[in-house]
Amino acid sequence: CKKVGLPVHTGYTYVKRLNLKVTSKHTTNFTNHQYFNNVDTEKKAYFLGLILTDGTLTKNPRYDLYLGFCEKDKDILEKFADTIKVYPRKIYQTKKESHFGYRIRIGSKRFHSSLSKYISPNKTFTVQMPKIKKNLLRHFARGCWDGDGSIERNKCDFISASEKFFSKFYKLLNKIAGRKLQVWTTKQGYNVVRLTRVDKNVLDWMYKNASIF
């Protein structure tokens, strides 16, 4: 697009109309394209939770998935890249205001397709709770919490903009806690659930003896 003086969105339009193959210096090469076709391991359940809460699936011709975290959690991206066998492993540093972070971009039509049954572009308000095997639920929940939750000394909060997802996730946490957890909606329309010291059993359920977090 830069060479011929076209805006990127115009270039994408022509690529789609002419059914052209897109190549890029940023092309991602890896071997595990169908990794999420069957969520049957701890790692798959955990990473799916991360992507559902903190990932971005795009509609562009590269079929990109973006996943990013703050600077201290770079190791999670490295573990993800290693697990799905990304070569070369490309993790980019980002900066938002004064905060640094890291992001990985993965472009693959088959990988995009394997995720599309769980997540869609612009999923912030539309993502839903997927069907996860009972023995893997805690790993999925941990991935969700690592994506959109926080853990502090006296409280732990999880936030979501999707009513359908939050409703089922909240019921799951209540069941594990054995009580009705504190919940509220922010002025911006986000749903928040809070764990306190008496809910240590929920954190133990998600994190105890976990191999990845």
Side-chain angles (χ1 to χ4, degrees):
C1 291
K2 288 183 179 179
K3 289 183 178 180
V4 296
L6 284 176
V8 173
H9 67 275
T10 303
Y12 282 162
T13 300
Y14 282 114
V15 165
K16 190 173 182 179
R17 286 180 180 176
L18 298 174
N19 196 28
L20 299 176
K21 183 178 180 181
V22 177
T23 58
S24 168
K25 64 179 181 180
H26 301 297
T27 297
T28 306
N29 297 308
F30 66 105
T31 58
N32 224 340
H33 295 272
Q34 298 173 324
Y35 183 71
F36 289 108
N37 277 11
N38 183 22
V39 179
D40 55 358
T41 67
E42 175 183 348
K43 285 186 177 181
K44 288 181 182 181
Y46 175 77
F47 285 131
L48 180 61
L50 273 180
I51 292 171
L52 256 66
T53 51
D54 225 21
T56 302
L57 205 61
T58 69
K59 288 183 177 180
N60 67 34
R62 293 191 302 262
Y63 295 93
D64 284 336
L65 163 72
Y66 291 97
L67 187 61
F69 295 101
C70 59
E71 191 170 18
K72 67 182 180 66
D73 292 326
K74 180 184 177 183
D75 65 304
I76 296 178
L77 291 180
E78 292 174 337
K79 290 174 183 176
F80 180 58
D82 287 342
T83 299
I84 63 172
K85 299 178 173 59
V86 173
Y87 305 108
R89 186 169 63 187
K90 298 176 180 178
I91 297 176
Y92 306 92
Q93 188 174 49
T94 60
K95 184 178 181 182
K96 187 176 182 181
E97 297 178 349
S98 60
H99 302 287
F100 286 95
Y102 289 92
R103 182 176 72 170
I104 189 170
R105 181 186 64 78
I106 298 169
S108 162
K109 186 174 182 179
R110 282 182 289 168
F111 191 69
H112 191 287
S113 178
S114 76
L115 276 171
S116 62
K117 58 184 175 182
Y118 305 108
I119 181 176
S120 61
N122 305 315
K123 51 84 180 171
T124 302
F125 298 95
T126 61
V127 67
Q128 298 187 39
M129 186 82 167
K131 291 182 179 179
I132 302 293
K133 294 177 180 179
K134 189 175 181 179
N135 66 311
L136 298 175
L137 268 175
R138 75 184 192 97
H139 305 302
F140 171 77
R142 186 173 68 256
C144 291
W145 204 282
D146 284 353
D148 273 349
S150 63
I151 298 178
E152 300 176 21
R153 184 174 181 180
N154 297 316
K155 60 184 176 67
C156 306
D157 292 343
F158 177 83
I159 185 170
S160 176
S162 170
E163 286 280 357
K164 291 183 178 180
F165 176 84
F166 185 83
S167 176
K168 290 188 176 181
F169 194 63
Y170 177 59
K171 288 179 181 178
L172 172 64
L173 296 179
N174 281 341
K175 183 178 180 180
I176 302 302
R179 73 183 188 97
K180 193 172 183 179
L181 299 169
Q182 183 181 356
V183 63
W184 70 93
T185 303
T186 68
K187 292 180 180 179
Q188 294 76 27
Y190 291 91
N191 302 292
V192 184
V193 58
R194 172 164 293 175
L195 305 179
T196 62
R197 288 184 175 182
V198 299
D199 305 308
K200 182 178 179 296
N201 62 320
V202 180
L203 292 178
D204 286 344
W205 175 72
M206 288 192 289
Y207 289 92
K208 192 173 183 179
N209 297 323
S211 67
I212 185 167
F213 53 89

